[in-house]
């Protein structure tokens, strides 16, 4: 008997059917599908290991191979891999597959921390592209193809380019234009599209070589589920598969893989209807909140000039701004949670971020709109300064990072592996950072390992703390790690 091998059967259906048979598990996992195995025993019936008939993620030939191919067809990719360690695994594998030890790579400074971790693991020399700040909303712009060209011409030994599109706040880059610029220089383009799995084939169709999607972020799939798509001949796929096998667990969760397969099938069968509903609810929501006098929900058409590079704004990322008013983003976040029982994704100094997906209900959209309208009625502007901010949509106080890039004294890997000590962060000027210093939001490092700590950056860190932002990298004692060895030459 070949359990689970039916072309039209989903992975979930195969697991469910096998759980209903009389096969006894003389193998892992240790719960043995026993209904008396604790309070979560009801979920163990679907949890198996690589047994006959259920394929192997690292050598997919049957059910899992078919499921990955199904995902690839949906997204228009030549080849697609399931990721059970999240998008982080896909980013690590992608960068490591296209670089060697000590290579150079160009990345957008607002990349996810896993990009930096890959650089440490490969000992890469990083060159940074710094996105602009969209002043109206205090969020970061997309990547600019012309800037990418200039950086690649300045650093011709860069093996690849890594960008994030959409950003955490939903700003989309012109990936097609960037891909053309990158490929003209015979480089590889990696797009972290973790927050854009619902955009279907945006970066894939635009010509990126490697695209990473987090299914769980914006689609009906379990946390930790993601996809890695590959196109073209620039990527050594054998090398990529070796890194995936190295970086992913050797005991992948069949429950997570079944969730991915279920998600893809759902999109195939009901995606068109759900996306149409999603768009209708967004349109209704925007019409309602447009009556606000103070609160603004970010839209691309409301951004005036500035020479920004973005190509659009994902409607699922609602940047709900109170900039220039008597209320802070943190206050708005707390009111929405405590008074209206609406849990936002995160709070920034001047806005909160709500994430919406095709699975949000009409009630969910309506409750948020109702709450925003009620809160707006009790907000006041900050006098003349607030009115000016609202009229001009400027004066965010953000730094132009392109003019303040920290001096690099070591590569991230050199600093990471160097002997370290801790100093009070306000006494660390002139030393080399041994860890990341990251105010959150927006999550872009003020300092990366190997960079020199300046007085200006210390003031920026202090300002972030005083603004109530979380600053990762500063210990509870108020100290930060620095290297103890002498600066290394470039």
């Amino acid at each position: 008997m070949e359990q689970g091998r039916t072309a039209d059967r989903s992975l979930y259906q195969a697991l469910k059917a096998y759980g209903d048979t009389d096969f006894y598990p003389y193998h892992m996992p240790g719960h043995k599908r026993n209904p008396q195995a604790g309070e979560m025993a009801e979920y163990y019936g679907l949890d198996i290991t690589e047994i006959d008939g259920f394929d192997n993620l690292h050598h997919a030939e049957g059910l899992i191979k078919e499921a990955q191919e199904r995902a690839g067809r949906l997204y228009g990719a030549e080849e697609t891999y399931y990721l059970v360690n999240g998008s982080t695994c896909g980013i690590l594998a992608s960068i490591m597959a296209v670089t060697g030890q000590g290579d150079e790579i160009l990345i957008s400074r607002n990349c996810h921390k896993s990009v930096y971790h890959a650089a440490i693991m490969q000992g890469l020399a990083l060159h940074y592209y710094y996105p602009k700040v969209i002043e109206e909303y205090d969020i970061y712009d997309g990547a600019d193809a012309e800037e990418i060209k200039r950086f690649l011409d300045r650093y011709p030994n860069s093996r690849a380019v890594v960008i994030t599109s959409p950003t955490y706040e939903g700003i989309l880059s012109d990936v097609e234009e960037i891909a053309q610029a990158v490929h003209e220089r015979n480089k590889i383009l990696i797009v972290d599209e973790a927050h854009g799995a619902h955009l279907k084939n945006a970066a894939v169709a635009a010509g990126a070589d490697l695209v990473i999607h987090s299914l769980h972020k914006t689609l009906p799939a379990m946390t930790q589920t993601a996809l890695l798509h590959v196109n073209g001949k620039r990527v050594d796929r054998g090398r990529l598969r070796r890194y995936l096998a190295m970086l992913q667990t050797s005991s992948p969760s069949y429950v997570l893989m079944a969730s991915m397969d279920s998600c893809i099938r759902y999109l195939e069968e009901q995606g068109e209807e759900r996306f149409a509903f999603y768009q209708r609810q967004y349109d209704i929501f925007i019409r309602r909140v447009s009556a606000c006098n103070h609160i603004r929900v970010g839209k691309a058409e409301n951004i005036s000039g500035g020479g920004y590079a973005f190509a659009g704004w994902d409607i699922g990322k609602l940047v709900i701004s109170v900039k220039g008013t008597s209320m802070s983003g943190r206050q708005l976040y707390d009111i929405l949670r405590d008074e209206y029982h609406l849990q936002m994704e995160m709070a920034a100094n001047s806005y909160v971020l709500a994430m919406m997906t095709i699975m949000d209900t009409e009630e969910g959209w309506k409750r948020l709109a109702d709450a925003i309208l009620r809160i707006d009625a009790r907000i006041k502007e900050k006098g003349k300064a607030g009115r000016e901010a609202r009229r001009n949509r400027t004066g965010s106080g953000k730094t132009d990072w392109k003019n303040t890039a920290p001096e690099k004294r070591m590569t991230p890997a050199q600093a990471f592996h160097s002997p370290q000590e801790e100093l009070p962060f306000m006494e660390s000027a002139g030393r080399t950072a041994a860890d990341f210093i990251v105010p959150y939001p927006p999550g872009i490092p003020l300092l990366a390992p190997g960079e020199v700590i300046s007085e200006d950056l210390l003031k920026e860190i202090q300002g972030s703390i005083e603004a109530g932002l979380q600053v990762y990298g500063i210990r509870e004692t108020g100290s930060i790690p620095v290297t103890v060895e002498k600066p290394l030459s470039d």
Side-chain angles (χ1 to χ4, degrees):
M1 175 182 179
E2 289 191 338
Q3 304 92 349
R5 291 209 174 191
T6 304
D8 295 330
R9 182 183 292 181
S10 71
L11 184 52
Y12 168 78
Q13 291 167 340
L15 292 169
K16 182 70 169 61
Y18 180 70
D20 291 337
T21 69
D22 64 351
F23 276 84
Y24 189 89
Y26 293 95
H27 55 75
M28 300 182 289
H31 55 65
K32 297 299 186 98
R33 305 199 308 273
N34 189 323
Q36 297 180 3
E39 61 185 1
M40 291 190 64
E42 63 180 296
Y43 302 104
Y44 295 156
L46 301 175
D47 188 31
I48 63 169
T49 188
E50 294 91 341
I51 59 175
D52 292 341
F54 281 91
D55 211 358
N56 186 315
L57 177 63
H58 298 297
H59 302 282
E61 298 175 336
L63 274 174
I64 297 174
K65 181 175 184 290
E66 293 168 6
Q68 291 182 141
E69 290 173 346
R70 185 177 302 113
R73 287 193 298 272
L74 180 68
Y75 284 96
E78 293 176 8
E79 198 165 3
T80 294
Y81 301 99
Y82 271 12
L83 304 173
V84 294
N85 288 31
S87 286
T88 290
C89 174
I91 290 170
L92 292 173
S94 294
I95 293 174
M96 296 177 77
V98 302
T99 61
Q101 286 289 322
D103 278 345
E104 299 176 26
I105 188 171
L106 173 62
I107 74 169
S108 186
R109 183 75 175 200
N110 63 333
C111 282
H112 187 262
K113 61 183 179 181
S114 57
V115 174
Y116 293 87
H117 293 165
I120 290 173
M121 294 167 73
Q122 286 288 78
L124 302 179
L126 295 178
H127 304 300
Y128 296 114
Y129 163 72
Y130 287 83
K132 287 184 177 181
V133 173
I134 297 176
E135 299 282 1
E136 287 88 340
Y137 296 99
D138 291 350
I139 61 175
Y140 285 87
D141 192 13
D144 186 329
E146 291 302 316
E147 285 288 293
I148 297 293
K149 288 180 185 178
R150 285 192 282 272
F151 273 93
L152 287 177
D153 291 342
R154 188 184 308 168
Y155 304 111
N157 293 327
S158 298
R159 296 293 301 275
V161 175
V162 186
I163 65 169
T164 302
S165 178
T167 64
Y168 186 47
E169 294 83 10
I171 297 298
L172 295 156
S173 297
D174 188 337
V175 176
E176 184 172 3
E177 188 176 346
I178 293 168
Q180 182 177 349
V182 171
H183 293 157
E184 284 174 354
R185 288 153 179 79
N186 199 30
K187 311 299 181 184
I188 292 170
L189 178 61
I190 301 170
V191 178
D192 176 1
E193 202 173 44
H195 280 270
H198 61 297
L199 300 175
K200 197 175 179 180
N201 58 357
V204 175
D209 301 287
L210 292 155
V211 178
I212 300 95
H213 280 148
S214 279
L215 291 180
H216 72 92
K217 283 182 170 63
T218 58
L219 290 172
M222 296 179 74
T223 297
Q224 208 169 302
T225 57
L227 300 172
L228 171 59
H229 309 285
V230 193
N231 277 322
K233 298 180 179 179
R234 297 177 183 86
V235 177
D236 182 335
R237 300 190 189 185
R239 181 178 169 88
L240 178 65
R241 284 191 288 270
R242 290 196 296 275
Y243 274 111
L244 283 172
M246 180 188 300
L247 295 165
Q248 294 218 89
T249 174
S250 59
S251 301
S253 166
Y254 278 80
V255 177
L256 293 182
M257 290 189 286
S259 173
M260 286 189 265
D261 190 34
S262 174
C263 175
I264 297 301
R265 288 173 177 268
Y266 182 84
L267 294 177
E268 287 179 329
E269 297 167 5
Q270 301 185 51
E272 185 175 351
E273 177 184 347
R274 292 302 306 183
F275 277 107
F277 172 82
Y278 175 58
Q279 183 68 54
R280 286 196 304 273
Q281 293 305 312
Y282 171 79
D283 293 339
I284 293 168
F285 172 85
I286 289 296
R287 284 198 298 271
R288 292 197 65 203
V289 299
S290 65
C292 289
N293 292 315
H294 307 291
I295 295 176
R296 294 172 294 118
V297 176
K299 295 190 298 179
E301 53 266 35
N302 290 346
I303 298 174
S304 56
Y308 299 122
F310 71 89
W313 200 332
D314 174 17
I315 66 172
K317 297 296 183 69
L318 303 180
V319 172
I320 306 168
S321 174
V322 288
K323 183 177 178 179
T325 75
S326 58
M327 184 176 289
S328 70
R330 184 72 230 185
Q331 288 171 320
L332 177 59
Y333 178 96
D334 291 340
I335 291 170
L336 286 166
R337 184 180 186 278
D338 297 340
E339 297 184 24
Y340 295 92
H341 294 179
L342 303 178
Q343 178 64 64
M344 297 296 101
E345 169 69 14
M346 69 91 164
N349 190 40
S350 63
Y351 65 88
V352 299
L353 178 66
M355 288 181 60
M356 310 301 288
T357 79
I358 61 172
M359 301 314 300
D360 278 292
T361 63
E362 184 175 359
E363 179 192 10
W365 285 97
K366 185 177 183 300
R367 284 181 63 187
L368 182 57
D370 288 344
I372 289 172
L373 288 166
R374 292 193 184 105
I375 296 169
D376 182 75
R378 69 204 225 197
I379 290 179
K380 295 180 180 179
E381 292 186 354
K382 285 184 177 178
K384 181 179 179 181
R387 289 191 292 274
E388 287 297 321
R390 291 179 61 78
R391 277 201 298 268
N392 301 325
R393 308 301 186 216
T394 58
S396 68
K398 291 275 186 180
T399 303
D400 183 354
W401 294 112
K402 296 169 82 174
N403 295 327
T404 58
E407 175 190 346
K408 289 186 286 186
R409 191 172 280 163
M410 301 179 181
T411 67
Q414 287 170 333
F416 182 84
H417 294 295
S418 293
Q420 302 176 10
E421 62 179 340
E422 293 190 4
L423 289 178
F425 82 91
M426 289 303 291
E427 299 176 12
S428 60
R431 299 294 295 272
T432 304
D435 201 352
F436 298 98
I437 305 296
V438 185
Y440 187 85
I444 294 179
L446 284 175
L447 281 169
E451 294 177 343
V452 179
I453 304 167
S454 68
E455 292 285 359
D456 286 342
L457 280 168
L458 290 176
K459 292 176 183 177
E460 190 71 31
I461 294 169
Q462 183 63 35
S464 296
I465 294 171
E466 292 174 354
L469 303 183
Q470 293 178 305
V471 179
Y472 297 114
I474 297 181
R475 308 296 191 250
E476 291 182 2
T477 59
S479 63
I480 59 174
V482 297
T483 63
V484 297
E485 57 188 16
K486 294 180 180 179
L488 298 179
S489 58
D490 292 336

